[in-house]
Amino acid sequence: MLGADAPFPASWPPPGRSGARAAEPDLSLLDERDEWQAFSRPLGAGGGLWESFVAFEGMHCAACAMTLEQVLGRVPGVVRVEVNAASQRGRVIWDEQVARPSRWMRALEGSGYGVLPVQDIGAGARRQAESRRMLWRLGVAGVCMMQVMMYAVPAYLAEPGAMAPDLEHLLRWAQWVLSLPVMLFSCRPFFSAAWRDLRGRRIGMDFPVALGMLLTFVVSSLGTFEPEGAFGHQVYFDSLTMFVFFLLAGRWLEARLRDRSAGALEALMHRLPDSVERRDADGSWRRVTARRVRVGDVVRVLPGAAFVADGEVVAGITTVDEALLTGESRPVARGMGDAVIAGSYNLGAPVQVRVGAVGPQTRYAHIVALMEQAAIGKPDLARLADRVAKPFLAVVLLAAALAAAWWWPIDPARAVMVAVAVLVVTCPCALSLATPAAMLASAAAMARRGILVRRLQAIETLTQVDTMVFDKTGTLTSDAFVLVGVRTRSGVTREQALTLAAALACHSLHPVSRALVAAAGGYAVAQGVLETAGQGLQGSLEVAGVPVLHRLGSAALCGVAGGQADRSPQGPVSHLADEQGWLASFDFEEDLRGDAAQTVAALRAQGLDCRLLSGDRDATVRRIGLVAGIDAAIGDCTPDDKLRQLQALHRQGHRTAMVGDGLNDGPVLAAAHVSFAFGRAVPLAQARSDFVVLGEQLMPLAWAHRYARRTMDVVRQNLGWALFYNAAALPLAVLGFMPAWAAGLGMAASSLLVVANAMRLNREDRSENA
């Protein structure tokens, strides 16, 4: 059960525990099936494999993600692990016959990392506590840096020999004392991560940084303790405290920006309330946890609260915000008999809802599952950067050693500081963040537009598409029909025929029946109505006070002379007959979505060729295509025909995007380079597509293509900057032109620039919505 009726056990953390690191919760609580189902879902049928979505604490870089994958992957029973450094989320596939969640979670104990279910109610408190700790470390580093700089300035301003040796030594000792809190408190995350990697015989991105800090402090301490020694002519406490401050400031800002970029994902994944008022058997109301709500329960939802489950309104009238769940940007009215969905917000008045679906059966749970899948996915460019990052760290260490060896005969102290600058300035953090930061920001922006991204890689693939192929029914057209013509026998008016037909049609849920009722506006009362599947309806209607049997439906049911067709070139035809014979015929056509032509024009303006494939009659398909502005429209296509048409386009060198209903078009959606499942009726758990469009508008397709291009522009900018920065900074550091403080500033600034550039995607999306 994923993101459904409860966000992790209600008892988590256990009573009396705040959830902070000082008091770790009891992981054995998760070994009960009911508990792990809160953040896991089964894979396959009876195979014993489970897929769990978790969030990690203590991550800072791509090397952390690789470390977590290696540590968890070694646990018996764990089949596969995927961790995304940018979102700090992961997916663990494990075998319940061999392992339990507590077992693979405990594998991280002592590693410096923490793991918790994505729906953990204590996650927000943990993040706030970690942010406060980071802010304290930053504050201590900042205060000590300013004090150290105050004692270091005289050494820079005084002429050689102008300062008494005793005064110079006193100033050095003052700097050493002020550097101790920085080393023991502010630098702790870097040293802890480096020590953790050394114990695991790995090299992480914090190792070169921690080594640089340690070397700087040791060299400066030697210069303080032995001023006449080889390292005594200068100390570097000012550089040490400055680059620690810059690195911490960069890391803190980066975390804040990353949290903001994933804001839409977080907002959707944590929409369900922890508790709700449920009506007891005696009619009283009692507040219970969301986990205890069952199908058939009646719950009361107050204004401002989210609906805890899918259901039907049984009392009250209100307006509901479904923007993040259906793509409908405006509040919608909901009254008695109307359906409401879990995760939507009640805006107007208290309502009572009879629960129809809970947990994994809700549409909300399916949406959360898709978004979790996107949040842990890694685009190909990100995987490449991760693979490059680890060998690059070894190159950094080698470059630092060679630079130190080159400078050592000239000045040992300078040699060490050059090595430190090389270690710090060339950390590949920016390179590892360049792609996932932009992709996650883009996925968050698309979620706000009602487009769910199932694979982050699909964003890049979408930019390479040159042909958009549409299905017709339920995609270019809505699921409804519209009445376009009425033919009646002599003496019967159009209004009379519609009134009689609607009297029977109101007893059916068939789309043609609903279109008749909508066109009539009003109808008579029919008695003894009987519906025959695939044929139509029959029942008695009073005509001049006399009951008369009427039939509505196919030509065969109505006994229409000559077996008039049940379809016209425009669409289906329904007939109405009474005891005298044929009375009227109603011609329908599919309702083309209002923005279909506008969307096709927008896609063509972006350089895409649009095509239409459908299993409907060729004449109907060509007519719909003509109205929508699509010249290449082919009808009478079986699913295999659609697949062959798509494969022919691929042989011609085209890159295709397929837009279908997500279920019936499964094979052709899978064959396309990128695919969209369209419409609210899509069974999200079964949709075989890269994107799912939640609303009823087609224009998000054009927006998604344009936005994907913008996203890849940002990715290329990020990668270009990261590569340029490392290529330019390394020779400057090796030649001794970059002091340690400047190296720390450069490293922090490069990562910040990458994340801030990705954040532009969110800002631009909000400005378009304004």
Side-chain angles (χ1 to χ4, degrees), residues 298-309:
V298 175
V299 297
R300 182 166 61 187
V301 182
L302 301 178
F307 291 92
V308 75

Side-chain angles (χ1 to χ4, degrees), residues 176-453:
W176 183 81
V177 171
L178 288 167
S179 298
L180 285 178
V182 176
M183 292 295 293
L184 298 177
F185 179 67
S186 297
C187 295
R188 183 176 178 180
F190 302 103
F191 290 137
S192 298
W195 178 244
R196 175 188 63 220
D197 291 336
L198 283 177
R199 284 189 304 167
R201 298 179 180 179
R202 299 178 298 269
I203 299 177
M205 293 188 187
D206 279 333
F207 178 76
V209 175
L211 181 60
M213 294 173 179
L214 184 60
L215 287 175
T216 304
F217 184 75
V218 169
V219 167
S220 300
S221 297
L222 289 175
T224 302
F225 300 153
E226 298 180 3
E228 304 301 328
F231 302 100
H233 70 281
Q234 188 175 356
V235 293
Y236 304 94
F237 295 115
D238 53 340
S239 294
L240 170 65
T241 53
M242 285 179 69
F243 83 71
V244 170
F245 175 77
F246 289 143
L247 289 178
L248 288 173
R251 184 164 288 186
W252 181 75
L253 289 172
E254 179 187 319
R256 294 294 300 271
L257 290 174
R258 183 169 51 221
D259 289 343
R260 286 177 57 192
S261 69
L265 302 179
E266 293 288 339
L268 184 54
M269 293 174 186
H270 300 283
R271 288 171 73 93
L272 290 189
D274 299 331
S275 61
V276 67
E277 291 183 340
R278 184 179 65 184
R279 190 171 67 191
D280 288 338
D282 60 0
S284 63
W285 296 94
R286 183 162 57 96
R287 183 163 290 276
V288 298
T289 62
R291 294 171 55 79
R292 299 179 61 185
V293 174
R294 297 291 182 264
V295 174
D297 288 347
V298 175
V299 297
R300 182 166 61 187
V301 182
L302 301 178
F307 291 92
V308 75
D310 292 351
E312 177 183 312
V313 177
V314 295
I317 300 175
T318 187
T319 55
V320 177
D321 178 10
E322 300 178 348
L324 284 179
L325 300 171
T326 65
E328 176 58 60
S329 59
R330 293 172 297 183
V332 293
R334 291 289 183 262
M336 288 188 59
D338 291 335
V340 292
I341 54 179
S344 58
Y345 279 106
N346 180 14
L347 300 180
V351 291
Q352 298 177 24
V353 176
R354 176 170 284 107
V355 175
V358 297
Q361 284 74 42
T362 63
R363 185 173 178 85
Y364 169 83
H366 297 158
I367 291 174
V368 169
L370 295 185
M371 300 188 75
E372 286 290 359
Q373 186 175 345
I376 59 121
K378 286 186 179 180
D380 291 343
L381 285 175
R383 295 181 187 275
L384 176 62
D386 289 352
R387 287 195 298 268
V388 169
K390 212 152 195 177
F392 185 77
L393 288 172
V395 173
V396 167
L397 294 175
L398 179 61
L402 292 176
W406 181 33
W407 278 91
W408 191 268
I410 303 172
D411 185 345
R414 183 72 178 275
V416 173
M417 295 311 298
V418 166
V420 169
V422 172
L423 288 172
V424 175
V425 80
T426 53
C427 181
C429 290
L431 183 64
S432 65
L433 286 171
T435 300
M439 291 292 194
L440 283 174
S442 181
M446 289 187 178
R448 285 193 296 271
R449 293 281 186 137
I451 305 171
L452 299 184
V453 183

Side-chain angles (χ1 to χ4, degrees), residues 56-130:
F56 295 99
E57 297 176 326
M59 287 186 61
H60 303 295
C61 59
C64 296
M66 290 183 281
T67 297
L68 287 166
E69 290 175 350
Q70 293 171 2
V71 172
L72 292 175
R74 288 198 293 263
V75 177
V78 173
V79 178
R80 184 178 179 184
V81 184
E82 291 183 9
V83 181
N84 187 301
S87 65
Q88 298 186 346
R89 295 176 181 270
R91 178 173 69 122
V92 182
I93 299 177
W94 51 282
D95 187 350
E96 68 170 317
Q97 305 298 328
V98 183
R100 285 291 188 270
S102 65
R103 183 173 183 179
W104 48 263
M105 286 185 173
R106 286 196 179 102
L108 297 180
E109 289 182 353
S111 67
Y113 297 113
V115 59
L116 60 154
V118 291
Q119 299 294 330
D120 182 7
I121 58 178
R126 284 179 167 88
R127 283 197 299 270
Q128 291 179 359
E130 180 62 30

Side-chain angles (χ1 to χ4, degrees), residues 2-22:
L2 205 55
D5 56 334
F8 203 26
S11 58
W12 184 277
R17 298 188 180 186
S18 64
R21 292 183 186 274

